[in-house]
Amino acid sequence: MSKLVRHSALRFAVRAVLGMAALSAGATALAQESSGLTAAQQQAQVEEIVVTGYRQSLSLALDQKREAVGAVDAIVAEDIADFPDLNLAESIQRVPGVSIARDAGEGRQISVRGLGPQFTRVRINGMEAMSANGGTDAAGGTNRDRSFDFNTFASELFNSITIRKTSSAETEEGSLGATVDLRSARPFDYEGFTVVTGAQASYNDISEDIDPRGAFLISNTFGDGRFGALLSLAYTERKLLDEGASTVRWQNALTAAGTVEPLAAFSPLSDAPGVTVDQLNRAFRPRIPRYDIYEHDQERLGVTGSLQWQVTDRTLLSLDGMFAKFDAERREIFLEAPVFSANGAAAINNVKVRQAQIDSSGSLVYGVFDDVDIRSEARFDKLKTDFTHLTLEGTHSFSDTLRVRGLVGYSEAEHDNPVQTTLLFDRADVDGYTYDFRGNSRLPLISYGNAPVDSASAWTLSQIRLRPQSSSNTFKTTSFDVAWDVNDAVTVKAGPQYKKFEFDTTSKVRSNGSTTAQESVISTAVRAISIADYSQLTGISNNLSVPNGTATRWIIPNIEAATRLFGLNDRSLFPLGIEPALGNNYSIEEEDLGGYVQADYKTEVWGRPLRANLGVRYVETKQTSSGYTFTSGSPLLTTVERTYDDTLPSLNVAIDVTDNFVIRAAAAKVMVRPNGGGQGTGLGILAPGASTQISGANKTVTAGNPLLDPYRAKAYDLSFEWYFAKDSLLSLALFKKDIQSFVQIVRATDSFSNNPLGLPDSVALAACGAAIPDPATCLSGWQFALPTNTDGGDLTGFEISYQQPFSFLPGFWKNFGLILNYTGVESEIEYLSQTGAVVARTDLTGLSKSAYNATLYWENEAFSARVSAAYRDDFLTLVPGRNLNDVEGTIETLSIDASSTWSVTPNLDLTLEALNLTDEFQDQYLDSSGNRLSYYHHQGRQYLLGARYKF
């Protein structure tokens, strides 16, 4: 769908919504007039209608929004297993301004108002937490940032989500996008003894597996309702087949200065008709054109428990615990040609181009080549995440005007990737190799010439990669709040808070105690084993429409057999160490001590109710960063400490202009502690030192900067909300973020000899070792990533939201309802080169300029159904892009889901749900003009049939 068509559709939708709202408001007024009742009497009569199910959850959420002082959106579930979506991120994306990023076919992280997941802070039961999983490389790999992985949790564990888009002094710092509050169920949420259970069978049309999903809750109160206990469980199994094509970026043979790098050039013997060798070298070529198969096997378990004690009528204690366990196995399979990314005489310099076509963007979209080195790659991961969260909260009212609240909590997320094993089969000098993007820019024709890729005898074992890794983060929090009602109009709140955050990550690879890459070192004993003993045949399924002539079946390494035959788990045979992977071994500790003072006001202006809060929060952050450098033949741990502080004033105002019209305004200073900002390096940007790493043809240098300043910004918000009918809303919100301090990862590709850190060539030569023995080839084509503070820029946007049950219509039609929202965002950030020059003025990474959600539902006492659409515009992921591409980004997505519920009895519901009905592809690209393939995958449609029973 073109942007012109989408914008025309948006204009039509806005006009239709305004007309519907006017019709509804007019119908309501006419009904009041004809009945002879006052507005208050009419409202009282309306409120006698009992609303249940999905419509009730919308009504409760709308009530929360209307009563809040700041900009708040909420999602409410009446019971366990009754959340509007199966995944928390999928549910949150229905909120205006929220977009999600997916991994393995489900929502993993969220962005709010154009700001990526690293700028959104998540609290569980009132305490900040971070959940970190491991993902595919295309989805960011292991999460080492401040972002929250929502796919750790089953949605059944929570009964409400609140998204706070404006800041107040009583809410702790750390958010530039939003603060998301997740709340699990408590026993006092229910009336006495309650048991709810639900079960579903899930079917995916690509993997063709049926997987179980279940939930259970039991809750009761005792002692005349003064004691309560609750336990809930949620369990999910999921198998997924994920197929597509990728390129690991595109590159040409040019240096940063625009001259041809001889070691990155095609053979001078290339003789493609109508194309010169110089044109071939200046054109962008896919670095590793390939087809991919990912097989996911996931198991998710969640447990929550809650104890509540109403000690007196004025004192309440609540103890909440949560444990989540996410286990997964993932297999990644590729058939590829890595030679286009490898410099040197034995690699790209030997490749002869026989036929070629270069398009108008300078991309080599078609070629027939001789002397191409090809590869069959297989990777196996075991992944495990354990999340533990405990909070003890107490509230006490000393009088009707003086209250206190205390909270202590502990949160821990342990992610372990103990097995990450990759085996590579290579075949050199293949003639007649062909790739062709002309007919399909995302699913190219790839054929392998004279290589029998489906025969074990065609291949040679070239690399054994062992890369176990882990990450761990903990939060320890203590807070105390006092609230004093000075009079009926003014409440003063104040309190201190202490928070300690600790993050630690490790990574090991094959090592001989030095930084020299060992992954291509293979013993004589291993080479003597026949490849036929540890290989198997695989292929692409019929669910991917690849061009005729593409190789779809090939031999891959059998990692299970190789592990047994080679003794890959024997560390005396395959020793591991941190030396070649120092950049992923570091720790960050932050101790935050702060407090706030806030005054809440309730008054009248011109006879209309006004609510406001005005406050200031002060916080001091003591940061301790530790990282490694390789010095005098061994890793040297370096630790750097620093302290910085922030004073953060905030103001929120809401005025009821009429009984049904609310205007809100907000202003605040906000801060977010330094992180990778979605630019691929995580919290390693704060670790001191620099490290080199060799992975195949990729040669990288990453450095940290423990003296980085936080992101700092001024945030402004103005909204207009018209509650034109019961459970209905039409609103417009305007917002602006003046980002005054930004963190950018400055990237460059150059010879190691020109590195900006002053490292000697010996560092690179030691890292290359036997993997890249030629010194000239070793020193060429390094990628550098260096973090720095920049001036940032402005982000502005608006949200339009419409929600209405069509209860004013007659008969069958009154059971319909509609929810629409649209968000438009603009930003301009200056991106710098390693020399400090501005190389781009463009959008903030992770920002989609347009996003909308639409839900049409129908519901009565016995049956409900709804269909939802979620659209997200293109967004950038890296600026500038790597390998001389100006940007890297992700193409727009439109996801459509549907669900229905039949209430067989007041206690029994049967459910049918369908997710990703259009089988939307994840589409990542390179270069704003070239739109070159980076990653293009799909995971299929998901269907779920289930039942829910409440005792």
Side-chain angles (χ1 to χ4, degrees), residues 843-908:
D843 290 330
L844 184 70
T845 54
L847 180 145
S848 292
K849 290 187 174 183
S850 297
Y852 66 76
N853 297 286
T855 298
L856 177 68
Y857 65 89
W858 190 96
E859 184 172 81
N860 65 9
E861 295 81 1
F863 184 79
S864 69
R866 64 183 182 271
V867 59
S868 298
Y871 170 80
R872 181 179 187 182
D873 206 351
D874 304 352
F875 61 94
L876 302 177
T877 53
L878 286 179
V879 182
R882 291 165 288 185
N883 304 106
L884 300 183
N885 294 278
D886 64 349
V887 298
E888 298 180 28
T890 297
I891 296 294
E892 63 184 2
T893 57
L894 174 63
S895 301
I896 299 178
D897 306 327
S899 66
S900 60
T901 302
W902 174 34
S903 297
V904 182
T905 71
N907 301 97
L908 175 64

Side-chain angles (χ1 to χ4, degrees), residues 243-246 288-293 333-336 440 442-446 448 540 544-547 550-551 554 937:
E243 295 179 313
S246 62
I288 309 180
R290 63 190 188 181
Y291 275 95
D292 324 330
I293 303 171
I333 300 164
F334 309 95
L335 181 62
E336 58 200 6
N440 190 326
R442 292 306 187 255
L443 296 175
L445 183 154
I446 303 179
Y448 288 80
I540 299 170
L544 196 66
S545 300
V546 301
T550 296
W554 67 94
H937 272 235

